[in-house]
Amino acid sequence: MRERGSSDRQSGARASEQGDRASAPLRERNRFRIPPLIPGRAAVPPTVAASVSAETTMVPKIQSSGSERADGELLEKVEPGKSAPVEAEVSQKLRHWSSYWQFWAGLATVTAGGVGFTAVALLLKLPTVPNCPSMYWPTASASMRLYCAQLAAKKQTVKDLLEAIALVQSLPPDHPMRQEVNEEIEVWSKDILDLAEKSFDAGKLDEAISIARKIPADVPAYKLVEDRIKSWKSLWSRAEKVYKDAEDELREQNWTQAFREAVRLLYIGNTYWETTKYEELNQLITSARDDGETLGKAQNQARRGGVKNLLKAIELVESIDPKSYLYKEAQAAIVEFGGKMMELAEAQLESRNVDEAIAIARQIPGRANMQGEVQDFIDLARAQSVAQQGTAASLSEAIALVKKLTPDRPLYSKGQDLIIRWQRELEDIAHLEKARQLAQLSTASDLKSAIKEVQLIPASHPRADEAKTEISRWTAQIQTMEDRPYLSRAEQMASLGDETSLQAAIDEANQIAVGRALYREAQDKVKQWTGQIQRIQDQPYLDQARQLARGGNLVDAIAIAQQIKSGRALSGEAQAAMKDWQAQIQAQQNLQQARSVATQATPDALASAIRLAKLVPSSSPLRSEAEEAINQWSYQMLSQAQDRATYDLQGAIAIAKTIPSGTSAYGEARAQIDVWQNILNPPAIPSPEPIAPSPESVAPPPAPPPVEQTQQSTPPPDFAPSEQSNPAPATVP
């Protein structure tokens, strides 16, 4: 493809050449023709002739008969017979002018030089550039149109490029310059598309499409327009989908996935979406995430319960900006928190704390859109406060207050429910008052009539529980009237105290059926009388067993006591006595076994005997005997250790360590162990600096006491070991 600069220069040159050709006929017409010379006359240059004709109007242009018609016409104007004077006059003039030949020569030289200078100047002067804005296009040539179109296209604006296309588009298909024009139109069309692409990259899709569709449909490059627009729309749709997906994730509070969707915009292929919209989406995600954290804190605060926590939660949610993606959720949370506050207010109202309920309702914020409900709640609360007095007058007043609510109020339906409830309660009050008047007579028939009246109150009515309470009370009165004679007769029978009378009393009291008013009282009496019968029957067995135990026959005593079965009146006493007797038997067995083991007279056997003797309970009569044996065996072990010390201190220490704690010899054994250990391991005494003592100051050391004396311990006064140092075993009585 040729360069635009060269095309401009060529078209400009062609325009100049065409301008020269157009002006050539005009110059031909203006140019003076040189007339033929008159016979006998000197030739005169055209300029001289022109000046002569300017000064003398009487000189015609003469031409022979063979000359042009114009010359002939001039000759015809000369009158016959007057040609000689004219010629004489002309000849005279010529002779007069020729006398100034120097003047004419100089004039000719100056004229020739001026003409030459002018010609050179015209040759060196560049052709005048056409004035395209003031051009009359219907008469402009194709090269002139192309030249001006190229000038306009250089401005690289949509308007100028479209004007350039319009200037040359009208050329016919067979024009010699059509090929060149088509090439230029294709270039300019692509330039328009490039400008549209810039608008598209700037985020102006509609503007880009509008610019692209301004390209004429009949140009060859128009096929690129629809493809480009289709590409733009496809890319824009993909970008919008990515943006929408990110927004959906924001609404679901999936921050990580929203960031992933936002990153996809960086690879969408459009500067606007990759920069402006990406940064915008990032800011939205950051803001939404902060709002999500705020909403989460508010929900956690609300879960703690209480009016203060709910108000603080609402305050947190109200800080979320209305432009936030979570604004809708925030508003829903405010409504939810307001509903929870209303529930707290209703709970207080159910607890008859009317003032507290109204105070809570008034703290519900206006953004919860519950103003009407709050006001209706306050009105209903005041009405319920009046109705809580429970009288017919207060219920009537409460109904009148609720009837003030119009059907368009939020809590109108709840008010109607309260009216229906209170009207039913008025009916219930009437039945209760009538029944109570009947029950005041306290006769069985009157009480039954009162019960029938109260039974008219349905179970679904407000005073149904109160009616049930009255029915239970009056029924109990009737049953008491009917059953009291049975219980009175039973008590009279039981007062005799013998087994037969007690059994008759039990049979009489059992006639009172289960569920009757006096049934519990009758059963208590039956239990009491049954116990008395069981004591009468079982007391001889217990007395006999105790008598056997006091005589030392514990086994038979236990056998007799076991005849008293579990669950009877004296079974507890019998079980306690048998447990005590069994412990005594076990203590005897332990002490006998201990004495048997102690007969072995070894340190280990004596230690085992002591442990067995300690099993005798402190409450046993054998405990003192066991203590005496334990002390005796402990001193016997200590004596064995002292005997062993005469030849084996380590063995003596080992025997002494086996003496159980809590015995009489235990303390002495521990002291003896310390003495023996000091003998085996004497403490190191630092040697003093040697001093030469005088012979008089040195005294012989005292003789050490015999080993037997240091090791012998004093046994208790009643300790009398045998020849083998073993005491005789004690006998169990």
Side-chain angles (χ1 to χ4, degrees):
M1 185 180 293
R2 61 182 176 79
E3 298 180 358
R4 294 189 181 182
S6 62
S7 175
D8 295 343
R9 288 193 295 272
Q10 291 175 5
S11 59
R14 286 195 297 269
S16 178
E17 291 174 2
Q18 292 177 1
D20 293 342
R21 287 196 298 270
S23 60
L26 181 61
R27 288 197 301 271
E28 291 294 333
R29 288 194 299 271
N30 293 336
R31 189 174 57 192
F32 286 103
R33 296 178 180 177
I34 300 176
L37 296 176
I38 300 175
R41 300 295 180 185
V44 183
T47 56
V48 177
S51 62
V52 171
S53 63
E55 292 180 2
T56 59
T57 59
M58 297 298 294
V59 181
K61 295 182 180 179
I62 303 173
Q63 195 175 16
S64 62
S65 59
S67 63
E68 297 179 356
R69 181 180 177 183
D71 297 331
E73 291 176 355
L74 292 174
L75 291 175
E76 289 177 0
K77 293 180 181 181
V78 180
E79 298 179 0
K82 291 184 180 181
S83 59
V86 173
E87 291 176 357
E89 184 178 358
V90 170
S91 176
Q92 184 179 359
K93 291 285 187 181
L94 291 173
R95 285 195 300 273
H96 177 71
W97 288 344
S98 61
S99 60
Y100 299 99
W101 63 271
Q102 298 89 348
F103 170 76
W104 295 113
L107 182 60
T109 302
V110 172
T111 302
V115 171
F117 178 79
T118 302
V120 172
L122 291 174
L123 289 174
L124 297 177
K125 184 179 180 182
L126 294 175
T128 305
V129 178
N131 187 8
C132 293
S134 61
M135 185 69 65
Y136 183 64
W137 296 115
T139 60
S141 61
S143 60
M144 182 60 67
R145 285 174 175 271
L146 181 59
Y147 173 72
C148 289
Q150 289 172 339
L151 288 180
K154 284 183 178 181
K155 299 178 182 178
Q156 287 295 299
T157 64
V158 176
K159 179 181 178 182
D160 292 319
L161 288 169
L162 291 173
E163 288 180 357
I165 293 173
L167 283 176
V168 297
Q169 183 65 17
S170 60
L171 290 180
D174 57 348
H175 194 277
M177 300 182 67
R178 188 66 202 185
Q179 181 63 29
E180 181 180 358
V181 166
N182 288 342
E183 293 175 358
E184 291 289 350
I185 288 176
E186 183 175 0
V187 173
W188 298 336
S189 299
K190 291 180 179 179
D191 290 343
I192 293 174
L193 284 178
D194 292 342
L195 292 175
E197 187 74 35
K198 290 181 179 178
S199 296
F200 175 69
D201 274 341
K204 303 174 183 177
L205 175 63
D206 295 337
E207 180 180 320
I209 294 174
S210 175
I211 292 173
R213 285 182 173 164
K214 288 180 181 179
I215 298 174
D218 55 350
V219 301
Y222 188 76
K223 60 184 179 181
L224 300 176
V225 172
E226 292 302 326
D227 293 341
R228 189 71 64 88
I229 292 175
K230 184 178 179 181
S231 173
W232 292 340
K233 288 183 177 180
S234 175
L235 188 147
W236 200 271
S237 297
R238 286 190 288 111
E240 286 181 336
K241 185 179 183 305
V242 171
Y243 199 94
K244 183 178 180 299
D245 291 343
E247 289 180 322
D248 293 340
E249 297 295 340
L250 285 180
R251 294 186 182 94
E252 296 297 329
Q253 301 186 31
N254 297 329
W255 317 124
T256 303
Q257 189 61 32
F259 272 116
R260 290 177 181 173
E261 293 294 337
V263 171
R264 291 175 58 190
L265 290 178
L266 296 175
Y267 307 97
I268 208 69
N270 180 272
T271 305
Y272 172 72
W273 286 99
E274 292 174 356
T275 56
T276 304
K277 298 299 286 184
Y278 172 75
E279 293 175 358
E280 175 186 314
L281 186 56
N282 263 341
Q283 292 176 357
L284 290 176
I285 293 172
T286 303
S287 176
R289 183 173 59 185
D290 295 339
D291 293 339
E293 292 177 356
T294 301
L295 187 59
K297 291 179 181 178
Q299 291 172 344
N300 291 333
Q301 191 75 29
R303 289 191 190 99
R304 299 177 182 176
V307 177
K308 292 183 179 179
N309 289 324
L310 288 171
L311 288 174
K312 190 172 182 180
I314 292 173
E315 182 180 357
L316 286 172
V317 174
E318 285 179 341
S319 65
I320 296 178
D321 191 89
K323 297 179 180 179
S324 173
Y325 282 93
L326 297 182
Y327 183 72
K328 184 177 180 181
E329 288 78 359
Q331 294 305 302
I334 291 176
V335 173
E336 178 187 354
F337 301 156
K340 289 184 178 180
M341 291 185 67
M342 183 62 73
E343 292 176 0
L344 293 176
E346 291 176 351
Q348 291 293 330
L349 187 60
E350 290 295 329
S351 301
R352 299 179 180 270
N353 297 326
V354 179
D355 295 337
E356 183 66 20
I358 294 175
I360 294 174
R362 283 177 173 170
Q363 295 182 68
I364 297 176
R367 293 184 66 179
N369 297 325
M370 298 176 64
Q371 293 88 341
E373 188 175 352
V374 168
Q375 185 58 47
D376 290 352
F377 175 82
I378 293 173
D379 295 339
L380 292 179
R382 290 172 177 167
Q384 286 181 277
S385 175
V386 174
Q388 285 173 359
Q389 298 176 15
T391 63
S394 62
L395 289 172
S396 300
E397 183 181 354
I399 291 172
L401 290 174
V402 175
K403 283 183 177 179
K404 294 180 181 180
L405 291 178
T406 57
D408 59 338
R409 299 299 299 174
L411 296 183
Y412 175 77
S413 59
K414 185 174 182 179
Q416 295 302 307
D417 294 339
L418 288 174
I419 289 175
I420 294 173
R421 176 184 175 183
W422 293 336
Q423 287 175 345
R424 291 175 178 175
E425 193 170 354
L426 284 173
E427 297 174 0
D428 298 344
I429 290 174
H431 290 300
L432 286 169
E433 288 180 353
K434 182 178 180 181
R436 284 166 181 157
Q437 289 176 357
L438 292 172
Q440 285 179 354
L441 300 176
S442 299
T443 63
S445 59
D446 292 332
L447 290 172
K448 290 178 180 179
S449 299
I451 290 173
K452 289 181 180 179
E453 183 67 26
V454 172
Q455 286 176 343
L456 296 175
I457 299 174
S460 60
H461 277 212
R463 296 294 180 98
D465 292 338
E466 185 177 352
K468 290 179 181 179
T469 302
E470 294 293 350
I471 289 173
S472 298
R473 184 168 65 88
W474 295 334
T475 301
Q477 291 181 13
I478 295 173
Q479 292 175 354
T480 300
M481 292 178 185
E482 295 173 347
D483 295 340
R484 178 59 66 183
Y486 294 104
L487 193 57
S488 298
R489 286 194 297 269
E491 289 176 345
Q492 290 177 359
M493 294 176 184
S495 63
L496 299 177
D498 60 284
E499 184 176 350
T500 304
S501 300
L502 290 170
Q503 186 61 48
I506 291 172
D507 295 338
E508 185 71 19
N510 282 334
Q511 294 185 32
I512 300 174
V514 178
R516 306 278 292 179
L518 295 179
Y519 176 77
R520 177 61 58 189
E521 184 179 351
Q523 291 302 309
D524 291 340
K525 294 293 184 179
V526 168
K527 184 177 180 181
Q528 175 185 348
W529 299 332
T530 301
Q532 291 180 13
I533 292 173
Q534 291 174 355
R535 285 189 180 88
I536 292 172
Q537 294 173 348
D538 295 339
Q539 190 66 47
Y541 295 107
L542 186 58
D543 293 342
Q544 183 181 2
R546 286 173 176 170
Q547 186 177 1
L548 291 172
R550 284 194 294 270
N553 193 356
L554 298 176
V555 176
D556 292 341
I558 292 174
I560 295 298
Q562 285 178 346
Q563 295 183 25
I564 302 174
K565 303 301 181 182
S566 176
R568 293 179 66 84
L570 295 179
S571 63
E573 294 183 30
Q575 293 296 325
M578 287 188 290
K579 184 178 180 182
D580 181 58
W581 299 333
Q582 288 173 349
Q584 291 183 28
I585 292 172
Q586 185 65 40
Q588 290 177 0
Q589 293 174 353
N590 290 335
L591 188 56
Q592 289 175 359
Q593 185 179 1
R595 292 184 185 280
S596 176
V597 172
T599 57
Q600 300 177 17
T602 63
D604 293 337
L606 292 172
S608 298
I610 291 173
R611 285 192 293 270
L612 287 172
K614 282 187 174 183
L615 295 177
V616 177
S618 58
S619 60
S620 174
L622 300 177
R623 181 63 187 180
S624 60
E625 185 178 348
E627 289 287 345
E628 182 179 353
I630 289 171
N631 293 332
Q632 183 178 359
W633 295 333
S634 65
Y635 276 109
Q636 187 175 350
M637 292 177 67
L638 180 58
S639 178
Q640 290 178 0
Q642 291 172 345
D643 293 341
R644 186 71 171 267
T646 58
Y647 60 90
D648 184 8
L649 289 177
Q650 291 288 356
I653 293 173
I655 294 173
K657 285 184 177 181
T658 59
I659 298 175
S661 61
T663 61
S664 299
Y666 178 76
E668 296 182 18
R670 302 309 299 181
Q672 193 66 67
I673 289 172
D674 293 338
V675 173
W676 293 335
Q677 286 180 343
N678 288 333
I679 294 173
L680 291 175
N681 302 308
I685 300 175
S687 57
E689 295 181 0
I691 301 175
S694 60
E696 295 81 4
S697 63
V698 178
V707 176
E708 294 181 0
Q709 183 178 355
T710 58
Q711 295 174 351
Q712 189 66 30
S713 177
T714 304
D718 57 351
F719 178 68
S722 63
E723 296 179 355
Q724 293 84 9
S725 298
N726 292 327
T731 59
V732 179

